[in-house]
């Protein structure tokens, strides 16, 4: 077993550097796993860049793939992918959170409070317990999902073991928001099966809503105190934002598709198509239809939703819901003539506003650069599929208009970097390059300038 | 003559509302001017929506047009367009600045300081003088441009009066960054004439660099004091940003086009094509080539540059250079582990950071929504020309990939709104809806949340 404290001390790494190092090590390890011949179907061949691509895609729980999982990988390969999804979606996250909390003393109490978004849970004794709790919670969710889907799938597959393999893979892929499939066509085979879609949506939401939310909800369910249970600002904000984004997605898909894709569908078909694709755009990446059947405005809307991504401290990626929530609140605060963001009877710290600004600007810059250079590298591909693919990679969503397998190696490398950045999170990456927070020794005179 | 103080008092308008009202009145007036039959060529017909489009396009000094100026408008029409360009580019700007400064007492000293970006020039006596100075400066620049171009154009046109009509129109169109042309093909007829291009670039830059910069530069030239002349932070920041954006544009065009459009051009042809198109993307909108000959990444780069736009308090539009400069500085400040933006031996006020954040978020939102709804309204048009057109309208740049005349009326209305917003400036518009700045009477407990 790796002893993070020793490794960190020997290499003089900051907790943020350790987290990034962990992901990098995980990526190398996963690539090796997927290059082992036993992981492949007989006669199936996979190039080096494609193995790395699938490895990073699985580790970042994205789900983009230049090769067909079902045609390329053996059952052993399936288990490798499930393992990587598990490590990438839940393992490194909880492990790195623990590392952050345990050894992150240097960056101070303030940073440690961040991770759980609750000031009352940062005592060291409770931390290991908390991490075990998160890990266990996810395992239970996955197991319940696998059993329900496994039993249900017996009507779809000839043998019980095949049904349960599909159930297990589907449950892990949905809960970790991995987005991989072994049906060869995502959830399209279940396009008319609302039960399978419903279970998948629940699992996707549970994975992407944020671990602190799950823990607080569990606490809330078992809470027996006399006062009202107090959810943290983080939980209120991220759950609200999650719901708002889901509704915007559903309403937008309905608006843009009511005379085209949804024209010949009845209300419950329309609802499930809209709801599933909206929920999946948060980070799930599974789909119940060929996304090329959607029109341009819908695909742009989904691109924006994927770019925003999921909650921080979840299995998802992207800018993260809280970043965008703070941005929106900041605009409303300004419009109301106020300077401090007040929400849910709490005030948002000015530093968090500065941070969301930094994440938003950097994220949008990376997104724009990626689109520009992808269109330079792939002159034959139209702008829309590129925007969609880049947003999908950055949001670690993994749905695609089908261009992934046609990309050149440099374009694949751009996507690999985006998936990595999207998963590790811009904030952690920015802390990598950030110097130690220093008390400013001197001040210049302030001077006003014209804006906008 | 309108008496702004009386109008404002009678209607109980804030200075910001008055500015927007001025632009709206200007738009109605301009539309009427362009609908008068005397403004049209014999047999040329223009629809109501197209007249409004051209009127708003000229008033916002954008230059997008669904009709050909040369085929539709008579010489009288040309003069109407020049008048509207003048009023929109310089007139309303200086007039509204004056209104803001004279009657803007309610919004406080702080706001008034903003407009000139210099704390030493806000005494009321000096203001009217200052505004006259700006107006005069622009008129002199335009006159010099018109005379130089007029004389030079005698080699292009059969009569002296025709040469001077072209010189005058070109000079006003370039200085106000209007982007209209009466050649029928922008500056493409002068694609090999570096002298015409050079003069046009100078005029475009003088218009778009910001009026305070011009005034300070004039002061600097006539300054005879013993101490070093002190340029304002605004001037340093906006001139630096202008130069950086110009260089990024030139370098980007060269990188993306060196094996395609520039492949068969020698170094000075390449330089002038890159330089002109880069400078024009700030807000000028004129072009020396068919922009469809550029590849996708170049057009995306130009779209981003147009979206950013010109300096505040200039004839240009868009997000404005200072907004983006503060955003970039904010990221670097964060990366260095500091919390206050220090630049040119000055500290940027935290309120200006908040403002640039608000403008950036709102601007990007409007830009994204416009692209999405344009692609909904125009399913036949590909994403790239739509992105280009929307960026061009918001940045009041006015260059196009040629889709303007093919748009439906609702799509034209979106562009009309974008040109209007881009010109008035998001900040003024946001102040429209903003309540009176209130001292916060109460505070909630602060709570940290996870970002990005
Ligand atoms: K995914
Ligand atoms: K223009």
């Amino acid at each position: 077993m790796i002893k993070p404290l020793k490794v960190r001390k020997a290499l003089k790494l900051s907790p943020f550097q350790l987290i990034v190092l962990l992901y990098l090590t995980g990526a190398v390890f996963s690539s090796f796993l997927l290059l082992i011949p036993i992981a492949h179907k007989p006669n199936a061949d996979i190039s080096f860049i494609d193995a790395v691509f699938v490895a990073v895609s699985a580790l970042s729980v994205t789900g983009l793939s230049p090769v067909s999982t079902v045609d390329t990988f053996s059952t052993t390969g399936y288990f490798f992918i499930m393992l990587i999804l598990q490590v990438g979606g839940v393992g490194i996250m909880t492990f790195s959170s623990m590392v952050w909390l345990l050894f992150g003393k240097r960056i101070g109490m303030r940073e440690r409070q961040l991770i759980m978004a609750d000031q009352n849970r940062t005592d060291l004794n409770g931390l290991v317990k908390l991490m075990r709790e998160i890990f266990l919670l996810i395992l239970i969710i996955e197991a319940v999902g696998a059993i329900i889907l496994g039993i249900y799938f017996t009507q779809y597959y000839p043998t019980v073991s095949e049904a349960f393999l599909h159930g297990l893979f589907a449950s892990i892929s949905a809960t970790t928001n991995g987005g991989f499939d072994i049906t060869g066509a995502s959830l399209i085979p279940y396009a008319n099966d609302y039960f399978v879609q419903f279970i998948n949506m629940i699992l996707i939401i549970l994975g992407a809503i944020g671990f602190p939310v799950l823990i607080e909800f569990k606490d809330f369910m078992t809470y027996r105190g006399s006062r009202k249970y107090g959810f943290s600002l983080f939980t209120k904000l991220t759950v609200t934002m999650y719901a708002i984004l889901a509704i915007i997605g559903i309403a937008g898909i309905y608006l843009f598709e009511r005379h085209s894709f949804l024209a010949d569908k009845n209300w419950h078909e329309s609802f499930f198509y809209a709801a599933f694709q909206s929920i999946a755009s948060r980070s799930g990446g599974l789909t119940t239809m060929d996304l090329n059947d959607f029109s341009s405005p819908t695909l742009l809307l989904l691109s924006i939703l994927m770019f925003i991504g999921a909650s921080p401290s979840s299995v998802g990626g992207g800018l993260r819901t809280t970043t965008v929530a703070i941005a929106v609140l900041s605009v409303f605060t300004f419009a109301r003539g106020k300077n401090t963001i007040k929400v849910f009877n709490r005030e948002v710290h000015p530093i968090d506003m500065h941070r969301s600004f930094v994440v938003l600007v950097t994220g949008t810059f990376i997104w724009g650069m990626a689109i520009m250079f992808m269109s330079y590298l792939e002159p034959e591909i139209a702008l829309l599929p590129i925007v969609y693919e880049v947003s999908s990679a950055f949001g670690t969503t993994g749905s695609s208009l089908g261009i992934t397998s046609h990309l050149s190696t440099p374009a694949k490398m751009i996507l690999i970097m985006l998936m990595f950045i999207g998963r590790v999170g811009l904030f952690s990456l920015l802390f990598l390059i950030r110097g130690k927070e220093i008390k400013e020794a001197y001040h210049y005179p302030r001077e006003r300038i014209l804006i906008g």
Side-chain angles (χ1 to χ4, degrees), chain A residues 304-348:
Chain A
I304 296 167
L305 291 173
M306 294 192 295
F307 179 52
I308 294 172
S311 304
S313 196
S314 78
V315 297
L319 287 175
R320 311 296 157 98
T321 53
T322 47
T323 311
V324 177
I326 296 299
V328 173
L329 287 171
S330 187
V331 171
F332 280 107
T333 301
F334 178 81
R336 283 209 220 97
K338 290 170 186 173
N339 292 316
T340 52
I341 301 176
K342 291 195 177 80
V343 61
F344 293 121
N345 298 333
R346 285 285 181 283
E347 245 171 51
V348 174

Side-chain angles (χ1 to χ4, degrees), chain A residues 19-87:
Chain A
I19 290 171
V20 174
L21 193 72
L22 268 171
Y23 269 104
L24 278 175
T25 315
V28 173
F29 224 77
S30 310
S31 304
F32 273 114
L33 269 186
L34 297 184
L35 278 167
I36 301 173
I38 200 181
H40 310 147
K41 281 219 161 56
N43 303 322
D45 208 27
I46 184 167
S47 70
F48 178 75
I49 180 77
D50 284 350
V52 174
F53 193 102
V54 175
V56 171
S57 180
L59 192 75
S60 65
V61 289
T62 303
L64 285 175
S65 177
V67 298
S68 153
T69 311
V70 63
D71 295 337
T72 312
F73 296 104
S74 61
T75 307
T76 314
Y78 294 169
F79 277 95
F80 285 168
I81 291 175
M82 284 191 266
L83 179 72
I84 300 170
L85 286 176
Q86 198 69 353
V87 169

Side-chain angles (χ1 to χ4, degrees), chain A residues 61-63 177-179 283-285 396-398:
Chain A
V61 289
T62 303
N177 278 228
S283 200
T396 70
T397 309

